[in-house]
Structures are given as structure tokens and as C-alpha cells.
Amino acid sequence: MASLQLIATCPMGLEAIVAREIKELGYEDMQVENGRITFKGDELAICRANLWLRTADRVLVKMGEFKALTFDELFEGTKALSWPDWIPESGEFPVEGRSHKSQLSSVPACQGIVKKAIVEKMKQRYKREWFPENGGRYVIEVSLLNDRALLTLDTTGPSLHKRGYRKLVTEAPLKETMAAALIQLSRWRPDRPLYDPFCGSGTIPVEAALMGWNIAPGLRRHFSAESWPRVSEELWEQAREEAYDAVKDDIPLEITGSDIDPNAIEVAQAAAKSAGLAKELKLKVLPVAKVHLSGESGCLITNPPYGERLGDKDEATFALRDLGSILLTEDSWSTFVITPSKQMEHYIGRPANKKRKLFNGRIECTYYQFFGKGPLYSRDSK
């Protein structure tokens, strides 16, 4: 198998988490940049990364990168790349694009130039003038930044946050990838209780259970590259067998989610059932003011109402106050809250041990981390 340049994309602020996940898969030769991690791997790495990365958005093949100040430079640079090594003559290859701080600012024009250049390259290999594009899908992106063009192939298809277990959603749901990132940042372990008092559609509890049992998040879905001859069916079977062998479903879990909205709990229960975790999660209708935390060393991880999206800032404020009131006397539990509010430390009654800026969708938030008295937080945080 060939040595490839692969790119895992992610939201700003999660690069270090994605890089750690890639390293845990065994790929250590990487470069971390804003919103993406470039790493070396082979075709099997495409399968493993898609199946296992919990906090990345997509896995791309880096086809090439070059300076492009003119359309001629963009055309020739694109044509020089090895497109027929990936795309068969029946392949469908739409071109997407974006441009920032570059001379070539017209995205539609850049897309057209790239498409034309790839067609010319395909003509040379396949000795034909027309391509039906009725086979597998190969989405190409041309990304221009500071007059440099980056050409990639998307191996993933629908974003990695679409695990396949969530058929229904509540209003303003938390993405699965962001939920996984919040859990990883908390350093929760499956031998500790976890509680989400604003669980909504159940994303944090379900993601925690998947992590607790070491279940690859992509096991229940398919990916664009599964139809590519270059990434064989045998490689996908190998990667899936590795993932199934890695499952540790004999570990007892104590994961609870609650919400004041009965409809949200119904959605959460449906997601847990779809993920095969219905018996492992406790999901109940309960206002946050009545939440009781039991146990000596648990993690409360939550995404409370914001007001901006749900249309009721007063409700969001009351929710944070109620959350703060139940935590004032629970100094053994560690609390992790993602919110755009600047008042979280006031409601909790003490400064956060750590604060991290994250974007939940397009909303700039702070991830407040209040460490409990347990031994887990005696060492430096991730």
C-alpha cells in the first residue's frame, strides 16, 4: 500500500484532541494546523480514521498543494496530479471550492478550472473524450488560502458527526463530535459516574457510553471511500474486524441523563436504543433543580440552554442558576459546562480551574472546567 498524505478536519479549538486520536491509531507523523491535522498513512489508515475518529469532521486525501496566482497556474497544477490513480472512468467527481485572501477569489470559476483540468488528465489515462460519471462518488475540494491551492478528495461523505444512531433530534442539538470532545477534555473514565442534567437528545450520554465501551463511532455507518476500488473491500473488512474485536462491552457504566422536556427524553431514548445502549443509560424527565448527585467522584458534563438559539434568555439564565445551586455543595464532583454565558463562575461560586474557547456551531462558547477533589485532577490537564 502507498504512503499517503491524509487530512483530518475539525472545528477550531479541537485540533489537539484530534491529533491525539490519530496518534492513538498509530499514526505519529503529523502536522497540526488551524482546523486540520495532516498525517501520513496508507489506504488502511483511511478506513481506520473514518471508523475511529470521534472529534474530526472528515478524512481527506491530500492530492496536492501549490501556488496559484492565475487560472493557468491552477489548471496546470491540478492537471499534474494523479487523479486517475483514484478516480475510475465511471467515477462521479463534483468539485467544491472556497477561497480566502487569494487573487483567485471567484469560487465558481476555480471550481470550473479544476473540473476541466481533471477531465483533461482523465482523457490522457482512459483515452476517451466523455465521462458518464455514473459510478462511485469522489468529492473534490479546491481550497485557496493566501494564493496557495490545496486539492483534496473526501473519503468520508456525510460528516463524521453523523454516527447513524440519532434518527431524531431536539431543537439546537449538540453535534456528536463536539460531545465526544467535551467528554475527552473532562478526562472522564468509565469507572466514574457521569451525569448530564440538560441531556436533550442524549448525545453526551450516548457518546460517553461509546467511549466507555471502546466502540468505534463509525461502526454503524458507511463512507464514500467504501465504493472506491483504491480502498478495497478487504481493507474495510479488516478495519471493521479490528473495531469489533476492540469492543469492551463487559465494563459496567453509570451514565445518567435528564431533561425537563419529556419529548427530549423520548428522542434520547430512541438514540440510545439505536446505538444498542438502551439498557446501559439512565434517561429521565427531571428539572435541573431536582437533580441529586450521588457518589463521591463523578463528572457532570453538560450543554445547557443558551437562549440565543432557543429564544428564551430568561429560561437559559434560570437554568444556569439552578445548575449552580446544586453544585455549590458538591465539591467532590467535577463539572464541565459549555456555554456562551460569561456568568458561569458566578453561578458555581468559584473560579474555573480551566477555561477553553470552543465554537458550538457558529456560537462562540467557553468550556468551563471545575475540578472536583478526586485524584484524577491532581495531574496536569489535557
Side-chain angles (χ1 to χ4, degrees), residues 259-278:
D259 200 284
I260 196 172
D261 183 0
N263 293 327
I265 293 300
E266 287 186 12
V267 172
Q269 289 171 337
K273 182 178 180 180
S274 180
L277 299 164

Side-chain angles (χ1 to χ4, degrees), residues 161-191:
H161 83 269
K162 296 185 177 181
R163 315 289 206 215
Y165 64 75
R166 194 165 70 175
K167 308 301 182 184
L168 304 170
V169 296
T170 55
E171 188 177 1
L174 183 71
K175 281 187 177 181
E176 294 85 338
T177 45
M178 179 58 72
L182 301 183
I183 297 163
Q184 291 197 39
L185 286 168
S186 78
R187 285 182 290 161
W188 171 77
R189 299 183 310 212
D191 60 351

Side-chain angles (χ1 to χ4, degrees), residues 294-310:
S294 60
E296 295 184 357
S297 183
C299 281
L300 187 149
I301 307 173
T302 196
N303 173 45
Y306 292 177
E308 286 88 345
R309 292 182 294 178
L310 302 183

